[in-house]
């Protein structure tokens, strides 16, 4: 069992940090807390870099059947690029702009853990409390702690694989979080608590239920009060997408002949976020997402020196530089999350030292969620090698992979044939 220290960052201390904070290019945030990363140069990326980034995104759009994508890449020493690409629908209709809202997916996990750490700092819970203290009907989980749910080391299973087809066939259904969790709990535990990582959506749902009980607040109120409001994330909330200003999301499904129809995806824009709850139920926009992942990586929102200090391998055959801890994934020097929900594939990663940040969404969820992660890593590799603008200094350390490596990895996950180049 791992015990961690927790203490909330005093607002007074933040005043000095604001001068070194990274304000995402072209955006103004009114939160009290600023990401503690290097300041962003006002210079744009070179045209060559923008073309490389654009080519990488359009390549991923083609093999996933995504008609649209929204991307943000920030390299504080060199430049930034934030853009909406493609169209809302495959038929060419609807402009994609960088202010559209979409579902953040598994980034919700990190936010749920933010709430856990903050609630612990306030004495409302202890990180090593048993989940059984807050959620009834799970006596066999007395040995599972809140922090193990956050770290992904509870050994509990997942529900998405068992319910995903129902989300497509009945996207409007409102799902009870206890019912969702029951599908994960029905699977055999694969390890003793704290021993190994297991991707468990049910674990984050249980953690959300526990935090609701401990604080006597709804999960939506917790995300707003502990995450969105302090960071000034006006587009970020746990709940449903608004009626307008939204990136339309869909999923290609098989046609009558049994082949995947990449030209006419099933519209899932209005799918209920209740299927994600505190695992994947948050909505956001690209500017909020970039700012959030910077705050996550730099520890600006939750000050806990141990949060990412005991990473666990994601899988036995995973690269040595890839691990999980504190509700996030750690890839080399990058910290973030990725995943998919009906209609969207998302990813966001940031380097707490250099400030290098990538955030993205693709609007077709037919492909494996790993496409989002691989694309984020490809974009990060491209941006990491950009030269410093006037008066800036490029970081010396690089990433343990190349852009070409993950460009090729994305090809292995293709579900659609990209349109022929004109």
């Amino acid at each position: 069992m791992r015990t961690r220290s927790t203490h909330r960052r005093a607002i007074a201390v933040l005043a000095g940090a604001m001068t070194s904070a990274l304000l995402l290019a072209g955006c103004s945030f009114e939160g009290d807390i600023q990401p503690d990363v290097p300041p962003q140069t006002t210079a744009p990326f070179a045209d060559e870099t923008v073309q490389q980034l654009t080519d990488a995104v359009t390549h991923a759009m083609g093999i996933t059947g995504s008609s649209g994508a929204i991307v943000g890449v920030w390299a504080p020493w060199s430049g930034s690029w934030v853009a909406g690409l493609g169209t809302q629908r495959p038929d060419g209709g609807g402009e994609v702009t960088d202010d559209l809202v979409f579902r953040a997916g598994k980034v919700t996990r990190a936010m749920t853990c933010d709430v856990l750490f903050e609630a612990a700092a306030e004495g409302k819970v202890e990180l090593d409390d048993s989940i059984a203290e807050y959620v009834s009907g799970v006596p066999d989980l007395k040995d599972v702690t809140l922090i193990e749910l956050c770290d992904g080391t509870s050994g509990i299973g997942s529900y998405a694989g068992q319910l995903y087809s129902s989300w497509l066939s009945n996207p409007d259904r409102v799902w009870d979080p206890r019912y969702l969790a029951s599908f994960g709990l029905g699977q055999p535990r694969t390890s003793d608590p704290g021993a190994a990582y297991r991707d468990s959506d049910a674990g984050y749902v249980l953690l959300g239920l526990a935090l609701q009980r401990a604080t006597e607040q709804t999960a939506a109120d917790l995300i707003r009060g502990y995450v969105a409001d302090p960071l000034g994330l006006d587009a970020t909330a746990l709940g449903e997408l608004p009626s307008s200003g939204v990136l339309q999301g869909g999923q290609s499904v098989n046609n009558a002949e049994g082949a995947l129809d990449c030209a006419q995806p099933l519209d899932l824009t209005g799918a209920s976020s209740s299927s994600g709850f505190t695992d994947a139920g948050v909505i956001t926009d690209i500017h909020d997402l970039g700012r959030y992942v910077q705050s996550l990586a730099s520890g600006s929102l939750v000050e806990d020196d141990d949060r990412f200090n005991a990473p666990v391998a994601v899988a036995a055959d995973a690269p040595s530089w890839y691990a999980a801890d504190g509700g996030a994934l750690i890839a080399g020097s990058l910290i973030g999350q990725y995943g998919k929900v009906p209609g969207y594939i998302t990813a966001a990663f940031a380097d707490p030292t250099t400030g290098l940040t990538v955030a993205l969404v693709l609007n077709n969820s037919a492909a494996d969620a790993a496409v989002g992660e691989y694309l984020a890593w490809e974009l990060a590799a491209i941006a990491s090698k950009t030269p410093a603008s006037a008066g800036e200094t490029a970081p010396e350390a690089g990433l343990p992979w190349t852009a070409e490596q993950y460009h090729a990895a994305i090809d292995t996950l293709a579900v659609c044939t990209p349109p022929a180049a004109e």
Side-chain angles (χ1 to χ4, degrees):
M1 181 178 294
R2 182 153 58 114
T3 302
R4 299 185 178 187
S5 62
T6 59
H7 55 287
R8 191 167 188 174
R9 175 168 295 197
I11 298 300
V13 176
L14 293 168
M18 290 181 68
T19 57
S20 62
L22 169 57
L23 298 178
L24 298 184
C27 288
S28 175
F29 298 90
E30 296 182 355
D32 293 322
I33 296 177
Q34 305 292 334
D36 188 12
V37 291
Q40 176 74 42
T41 178
T42 57
F45 280 132
D47 291 344
E48 179 182 0
T49 299
V50 172
Q51 189 61 57
Q52 287 179 299
L53 296 171
T54 302
D55 289 346
V57 177
T58 53
H59 168 249
M61 291 169 62
I63 67 97
T64 60
S66 298
S67 64
I70 307 174
V71 187
V73 182
W74 299 268
W77 67 92
S78 181
S80 63
W81 178 64
V82 181
L85 286 77
T87 58
Q88 292 271 23
R89 300 181 300 277
D91 62 8
E95 181 184 8
V96 175
T97 57
D98 62 41
D99 59 347
L100 297 177
V101 178
F102 52 86
R103 294 181 63 184
K106 302 299 183 181
V107 175
T108 306
R109 294 180 170 185
M111 295 182 180
T112 301
C113 289
D114 291 337
V115 175
L116 170 64
F117 282 107
E118 292 290 80
E122 294 174 351
K124 296 178 179 177
V125 297
E126 296 288 339
L127 297 180
D128 289 323
D129 282 348
S130 167
I131 180 63
E133 294 182 35
Y134 304 99
V135 180
S136 61
V138 290
D140 57 331
L141 298 184
K142 288 183 178 179
D143 57 343
V144 174
T145 66
L146 302 182
I147 190 60
E148 287 164 350
L149 294 172
C150 169
D151 288 342
T153 58
S154 67
I156 295 171
S158 289
Y159 61 80
Q162 303 172 73
L163 296 175
Y164 198 88
S165 61
S166 296
W167 299 341
L168 301 185
S169 62
N170 190 10
D172 296 332
R173 175 174 172 175
V174 176
W175 297 85
D176 182 273
R178 283 180 170 273
Y179 182 73
L180 295 173
S182 70
F183 285 84
L185 294 173
Q187 296 180 332
R189 304 251 293 271
T190 56
S191 64
D192 292 334
Y197 178 78
R198 184 182 187 183
D199 190 333
S200 173
D201 46 25
Y204 290 98
V205 166
L206 288 170
L207 180 56
L209 289 171
L211 292 169
Q212 285 191 144
R213 176 70 180 276
T215 62
E216 298 183 338
Q217 297 184 62
T218 67
D221 285 342
L222 291 172
I223 294 296
R224 181 176 64 250
Y226 284 109
V227 181
D229 284 354
L231 290 172
L233 308 181
D234 293 339
T236 300
L238 180 66
E240 305 301 338
L241 288 167
S243 58
S244 61
V246 172
L247 174 68
Q248 294 182 21
Q251 178 162 326
S252 297
V253 296
N254 289 344
N255 58 24
E257 288 73 40
L260 199 68
D261 188 347
C262 295
Q264 294 182 322
L266 178 68
D267 185 3
L268 295 170
T269 309
S272 174
S273 68
S274 63
S275 63
F277 191 53
T278 49
D279 174 72
V282 163
I283 63 171
T284 192
D285 67 14
I286 205 68
H287 302 280
D288 277 15
L289 185 56
R291 180 176 173 84
Y292 171 71
V293 78
Q294 289 173 349
S295 300
L296 170 69
S298 63
S300 303
L301 183 62
V302 173
E303 184 175 296
D304 186 302
D305 294 338
D306 298 327
R307 181 170 183 175
F308 303 123
N309 280 355
V312 178
V314 171
D317 59 350
S320 60
W321 45 260
Y322 188 39
D325 203 13
L329 298 169
I330 303 168
S333 59
L334 303 180
I335 296 173
Q337 264 292 0
Y338 82 97
K340 80 172 184 178
V341 293
Y344 306 92
I345 295 175
T346 53
F349 286 87
D351 185 323
T353 301
T354 67
L356 174 63
T357 303
V358 175
L360 64 92
V361 59
L362 301 170
N363 75 340
N364 190 322
S365 55
D368 191 293
V371 170
E373 181 179 48
Y374 293 171
L375 177 57
W377 293 352
E378 180 183 359
L379 297 175
I382 293 170
S384 70
K385 297 190 179 299
T386 55
S389 60
E392 303 289 341
T393 302
E396 296 181 3
L399 297 169
W401 63 81
T402 65
E404 293 76 15
Q405 178 182 349
Y406 280 99
H407 187 90
I410 291 173
D411 280 332
T412 68
L413 300 177
V415 295
C416 295
T417 302
E422 296 181 357

